[in-house]
Amino acid sequence: MSQIMSGFMKEKEKADSDMSMRTLSTPSPALICPKNLLSFQNGRGSSTSSSSITGETVAIVHSPPPTRLTHPLIRLASKHQKEQANIDRLPDQCIIQIFSYLPTNQLCRCARVCRRWYNLAWDPRLWRTIRLTGETISVDRALKVLTRRLCQDTPPTSVSCWRRRLTDRGLYTIAQCCPELRRLEVSNCYNISNEAVFDVVSLCPNLEHLDVSGCSKVTCISLTREASIKLSPMHGKQISIRYLDMTDCFVLEDEGLHTIAAHCTQLTHLYLRRCIRITDEGLRYIMIYCTSIKELSVSDCRFVSDFGMREIAKLESRLRYLSIAHCGRITDVGIRYLAKYCSKLRYLNARGCEGITDHGVEYLAKNCTKLKSLDIGKCPLVSDIGLEFLALNCFNLKRLSLKSCESITGQGLQIVAANCFDLQMLNVQDCEVSVDALRFVKRHCKRCIIEHTNPAFF
């Protein structure tokens, strides 16, 4: 989409280059541009000096483009020169729809093209979300300028920054200027600390979606001390976060998870992938306070065992999604707890859990009959017997991964294909499966995409 818009902008600028309405320099409402562009300004149309900026991208605010130049030496454009560019023939609603796919910094560049694009680029519907991308952007300063411009009329409800240059200062700006914030994504911003997250949570009471994956300094989520004093002793229920992603927060420990669970009691989606210090005790805290969880991931949490699975099973029929991939301490005992109490489970990722056998798959198939997606790849103890239990009980199965399951043969796949007609994805990479078995699967499951490593089947 960015490439398409770049083509449109070049075409638009070429068509306007000889028009009498063309300005000498097209100002920007909130341009995010590198230093070499700032130094090109002649000083008359720019409201921000570049003398204090060194080698980084900043956000600058200008007045809207003037309608025309009144210099007497400028001659009138010919009829041919006044012809519109192709994109100018589109109605406003179409251009706004195209703009909606652009990140914030590209949208600001579009506002420089002409007066019409300036007005369309500042349509309130486009500023419900701020998305900052690019390695050269000074995120903190861009947020300061944008929120100052927007908070009066259209305060954004969603902010996404996927760059490492965001710091506590930028996050504090968001907390101060976006009180209606509902969604915040700051993945891989490793300069963010607990204090900045506390400010956002305390000053944005409507925040429901928080993604701090890869923020290695974040070890806890709670209200600030001032906010806790102002609220009642039951202030833990005041945090309305429902979706929390703390993937790759390596320093998160059980004590921090305890605080998170106590304050974020409305959680329904929790992702703790590769939080390697989490143990069964941390999961126990979650089950005490967060009883509404529907999706949970503890993939690569190597200290989670069957005792942790017993705690997870307390979610009962509310749990729909669970990922325990590469949790090597989980065996058939933990799977049995899960199958007995979580009968409405739809998705299970148990890849790399080498302690799971055909008995665990049997418990799962007989109790979780509505299972739609199952990944038991790299489970060498699962064989055709386990697949037979799946085929005879889980008729709604759509996705099945058996990658690197050494005991699986073509016979087990044929049983699955003969009973699970809705199968849409099958992964049998690194499995000793014949071409005839793969063709049988394709013949019975017309829409199934087979991922394999057999060069004879295509």
Side-chain angles (χ1 to χ4, degrees):
M1 180 58 68
S2 298
Q3 295 177 351
I4 296 175
M5 289 306 304
S6 298
F8 284 153
M9 290 168 64
K10 290 179 180 178
E11 180 183 357
K12 174 66 178 173
E13 291 174 357
K14 182 178 179 181
D16 287 346
S17 60
D18 296 325
M19 292 175 60
S20 61
M21 301 287 284
R22 178 66 175 162
T23 60
L24 291 176
S25 61
T26 307
S28 165
L31 173 64
I32 300 176
C33 61
K35 180 185 175 182
N36 56 357
L37 289 180
L38 288 176
S39 61
F40 181 75
Q41 299 290 338
N42 58 13
R44 292 180 295 178
S46 174
S47 61
T48 303
S49 173
S50 63
S51 60
S52 61
I53 311 300
T54 57
E56 66 178 6
T57 303
V58 299
I60 57 177
V61 174
H62 296 283
S63 58
T67 56
R68 64 176 181 173
L69 289 175
T70 58
H71 197 282
L73 296 180
I74 298 179
R75 61 184 180 85
L76 295 177
S78 64
K79 181 179 179 180
H80 177 72
Q81 290 172 332
K82 290 184 178 180
E83 290 183 358
Q84 290 181 328
N86 290 333
I87 196 170
D88 275 342
R89 299 173 185 174
L90 295 176
D92 290 351
Q93 190 59 40
C94 289
I95 296 180
I96 290 176
Q97 183 65 30
I98 294 173
F99 283 175
S100 67
Y101 295 101
L102 298 178
T104 299
N105 45 325
Q106 295 292 338
L107 185 60
C108 290
R109 290 191 177 99
C110 288
R112 303 186 71 222
V113 174
C114 64
R115 190 176 186 85
R116 183 192 180 201
W117 280 30
Y118 174 90
N119 294 328
L120 294 178
W122 281 105
D123 187 286
R125 289 169 290 183
L126 299 176
W127 292 97
R128 294 170 183 166
T129 298
I130 294 178
R131 291 177 295 164
L132 294 175
T133 61
E135 293 293 344
T136 60
I137 294 177
S138 177
V139 180
D140 291 346
R141 192 159 184 173
L143 285 172
K144 183 177 181 180
V145 174
L146 290 172
T147 52
R148 184 184 301 169
R149 170 67 172 82
L150 295 170
C151 64
Q152 299 176 357
D153 303 321
T154 56
T157 59
S158 176
V159 177
S160 300
C161 301
W162 296 289
R163 294 306 173 200
R164 302 172 181 178
R165 301 188 69 180
L166 178 67
T167 66
D168 287 353
R169 183 182 301 177
L171 211 55
Y172 184 72
T173 299
I174 295 174
Q176 291 288 330
C177 301
C178 305
E180 300 299 323
L181 190 68
R182 294 182 177 274
R183 184 186 184 98
L184 178 63
E185 297 179 351
V186 289
S187 59
N188 297 316
C189 298
Y190 55 71
N191 292 318
I192 292 176
S193 66
N194 286 339
E195 289 71 20
V197 176
F198 292 174
D199 287 331
V200 172
V201 171
S202 300
L203 298 177
C204 303
N206 297 322
L207 186 65
E208 295 181 349
H209 182 114
L210 179 60
D211 182 355
V212 291
S213 57
C215 300
S216 55
K217 293 183 180 179
V218 177
T219 61
C220 183
I221 294 175
S222 175
L223 294 168
T224 59
R225 185 176 182 181
E226 293 77 9
S228 299
I229 295 175
K230 291 179 182 179
L231 297 173
S232 65
M234 297 296 292
H235 67 275
K237 295 184 178 180
Q238 299 295 327
I239 297 182
S240 56
I241 295 177
R242 298 178 182 274
Y243 179 105
L244 178 60
D245 191 346
M246 298 193 71
T247 299
D248 293 321
C249 292
F250 306 113
V251 294
L252 177 64
E253 298 181 346
D254 291 341
E255 191 60 34
L257 198 57
H258 185 189
T259 304
I260 292 172
H263 286 80
C264 305
T265 57
Q266 300 181 41
L267 279 176
T268 58
H269 297 69
L270 178 61
Y271 304 96
L272 303 171
R273 305 180 188 96
R274 293 180 291 280
C275 294
I276 56 178
R277 300 186 182 183
I278 296 298
T279 69
D280 298 333
E281 185 69 12
L283 294 180
R284 187 176 71 84
Y285 295 139
I286 293 175
M287 302 312 141
I288 292 175
Y289 297 100
C290 307
T291 58
S292 301
I293 288 182
K294 298 178 180 179
E295 295 191 10
L296 176 64
S297 176
V298 290
S299 298
D300 295 281
C301 295
R302 58 192 179 191
F303 295 118
V304 174
S305 67
D306 291 334
F307 293 102
M309 292 292 287
R310 184 176 62 181
E311 297 297 328
I312 293 174
K314 294 178 181 179
L315 292 172
E316 297 180 344
S317 60
R318 294 180 292 276
L319 187 65
R320 303 299 175 89
Y321 171 108
L322 177 63
S323 179
I324 53 174
H326 304 290
C327 294
R329 300 189 179 189
I330 293 177
T331 66
D332 289 342
V333 177
I335 296 298
R336 188 169 186 172
Y337 279 123
L338 183 70
K340 182 177 181 180
Y341 296 101
C342 302
S343 58
K344 294 185 178 181
L345 192 68
R346 300 289 192 274
Y347 175 100
L348 176 63
N349 183 358
R351 174 177 293 192
C353 297
E354 297 181 355
I356 297 177
T357 69
D358 290 331
H359 294 293
V361 176
E362 178 184 358
Y363 297 140
L364 190 66
K366 289 183 176 180
N367 291 277
C368 302
T369 56
K370 296 183 179 181
L371 200 65
K372 293 184 177 181
S373 180
L374 176 63
D375 188 342
I376 47 177
K378 297 184 179 180
C379 295
L381 301 180
V382 175
S383 67
D384 292 343
I385 298 175
L387 290 187
E388 184 176 355
F389 285 116
L390 278 177
L392 297 178
N393 293 277
C394 301
F395 303 109
N396 296 320
L397 198 63
K398 297 182 182 297
R399 301 174 66 88
L400 177 62
S401 178
L402 305 169
K403 182 178 181 180
S404 302
C405 288
E406 303 169 355
S407 302
I408 297 296
T409 67
Q411 183 179 357
L413 293 185
Q414 291 179 2
I415 296 175
V416 171
N419 291 273
C420 303
F421 302 108
D422 293 331
L423 196 64
Q424 297 177 5
M425 195 284 293
L426 176 65
N427 189 339
V428 288
Q429 293 177 340
D430 301 319
C431 294
E432 297 294 332
V433 180
S434 65
V435 175
D436 292 337
L438 295 177
R439 289 174 179 169
F440 184 91
V441 174
K442 197 63 178 177
R443 189 163 56 250
H444 285 74
C445 305
K446 303 292 184 181
R447 296 182 297 172
C448 184
I449 298 175
I450 304 176
E451 299 180 9
H452 62 91
T453 52
N454 192 331
F457 177 77
F458 52 90

